[in-house]
Amino acid sequence: MTRRLRLAIPNKGRLVEPTVRLLHDAGLVFEEHDRSLVAIVQNYELDILFVRTNDVIEFVGDGVADLGVTGIDLLTETGAELTTIRPLGYGRCRLAAAVPNDAPYQVVEDLAGLRVATAHPNAARRFFAEREIPVEIIPISGAVEVAPRLGLAEGIVDLVSTGSTLVMNGLRQIGDVLASEAVLVADPRAERARPEDLAAVDTMLSAVIAARGRKYLMMNAPAPRLAELEALLPALESPTVIPLAHAGMIAIHSVVGADEVWGLLPRLKAAGASGILVLPIEKIVP
């Protein structure tokens, strides 16, 4: 009997809430508790393992879990040879090089011959080596922002989201080292042994991700204005057109980007559309 799939996700930190929300939005039914290590999905053959953020990659790499949710920054730092199935669209941040505001350094090349403190020594070392910039990497486990103030280093490489932490510590960014976001990864052995099972989980999640940021538009319009309205609608393939009971009138259904909606509405109305409905989309399976 084939065992249930296992998905490892962080139990603390910025990826927890959006990851759990994605799984619930995908239709997976489970209960999570602060002290639970395992959540049993009730409507699918899947167990969710809540582990330390830094352990997700190890669990997947060791075959304890078949799939995992982690950040590109951690994947790069460990150098683990896992399969990246897809980006998940949240947890976006940057690994950035920064220096004190009053320092003369303007670009990363200016750090040549200097000390750089970071909690991501492998990723930082690889970045500077690829650009042939000789720096001394000072690995530290936390409070990276205070390293220049304490005299430990002239610059730092640290995760940046909004940049407010840098500002609070009198630092300014001089270059990006790595762009990161949450990704779904897989154990290559599980990918070879159970490709259909892993693809099914990927489909569940990707359908939700594809639907986020999209809206479903429904509108009525005079049939002669179809070509003009169709030119305004960037549907997945082409808009759905349905004849209405009143002669010469049609209904048009289309999927558009959420960010495009408010710019589209006045143009659609000007082209003859009326009774426009804007609806959320739960899932999209290409």
Side-chain angles (χ1 to χ4, degrees):
M1 181 176 178
T2 303
R3 70 163 173 81
R4 292 165 63 93
L5 282 176
R6 294 172 181 167
L7 168 67
I9 69 172
N11 62 1
K12 292 182 181 179
R14 58 191 175 84
L15 297 185
V16 178
E17 190 274 333
T19 298
V20 170
R21 186 170 69 248
L22 173 62
L23 297 174
H24 281 309
D25 288 348
L28 298 176
V29 178
F30 62 94
E31 295 182 3
E32 70 280 0
H33 303 285
D34 291 341
R35 296 187 179 182
S36 294
L37 299 178
V38 180
I40 308 299
V41 175
Q42 300 171 24
N43 59 340
Y44 196 75
E45 292 293 310
L46 177 69
D47 294 337
I48 300 171
L49 313 182
F50 292 87
V51 302
R52 293 194 315 164
T53 300
N54 292 337
D55 289 342
V56 170
I57 293 173
E58 183 175 349
F59 270 54
V60 178
D62 290 345
V64 176
D66 307 291
L67 296 160
V69 173
T70 188
I72 292 174
D73 58 306
L74 293 175
L75 198 60
T76 302
E77 179 62 22
T78 61
E81 296 182 356
L82 304 182
T83 302
T84 299
I85 295 181
R86 74 172 54 253
L88 299 176
Y90 57 84
R92 291 188 175 95
C93 58
R94 306 183 316 279
L95 199 58
V99 297
N101 288 328
D102 58 358
Y105 321 118
Q106 300 299 320
V107 293
V108 292
E109 287 75 12
D110 293 338
L111 296 175
L114 302 178
R115 299 168 299 171
V116 176
T118 182
H120 295 75
N122 295 327
R125 192 174 288 113
R126 189 178 302 115
F127 171 81
F128 287 108
E130 288 173 352
R131 287 154 184 78
E132 298 182 347
I133 304 172
V135 299
E136 180 184 356
I137 298 297
I138 308 296
I140 57 178
S141 58
V144 176
E145 299 88 353
V146 303
R149 192 187 317 157
L150 297 177
L152 295 176
E154 286 72 40
I156 68 168
V157 167
D158 200 17
L159 282 180
V160 175
S161 181
T162 64
S164 60
T165 303
L166 292 181
V167 173
M168 290 172 56
N169 286 276
L171 301 171
R172 56 181 169 82
Q173 183 178 330
I174 61 171
D176 282 339
V177 172
L178 176 73
S180 181
E181 67 175 295
V183 289
L184 179 68
V185 297
D187 175 7
R189 291 163 297 187
E191 191 178 27
R192 291 189 296 269
R194 308 177 66 177
E196 294 182 356
D197 293 336
L198 269 61
V201 175
D202 178 39
T203 298
M204 293 179 198
L205 302 186
S206 63
V208 175
I209 295 167
R212 291 175 173 175
R214 301 282 187 91
K215 297 293 182 183
Y216 193 77
L217 289 186
M218 302 170 61
M219 69 200 77
N220 297 335
R225 308 296 293 273
L226 174 59
E228 185 178 353
L229 288 164
E230 189 173 9
L232 296 172
L233 295 170
L236 290 176
E237 293 181 357
S238 62
T240 300
V241 180
I242 305 170
L244 295 179
H246 297 287
M249 292 294 293
I250 55 175
I252 302 174
H253 297 191
S254 183
V255 175
V256 302
D259 294 339
E260 302 170 354
V261 169
W262 297 112
L264 273 175
L265 293 183
R267 296 163 63 194
L268 293 172
K269 291 184 66 175
S274 61
I276 302 173
L277 297 181
V278 181
L279 305 174
I281 302 174
E282 183 175 335
K283 298 177 181 67
I284 296 177
V285 181

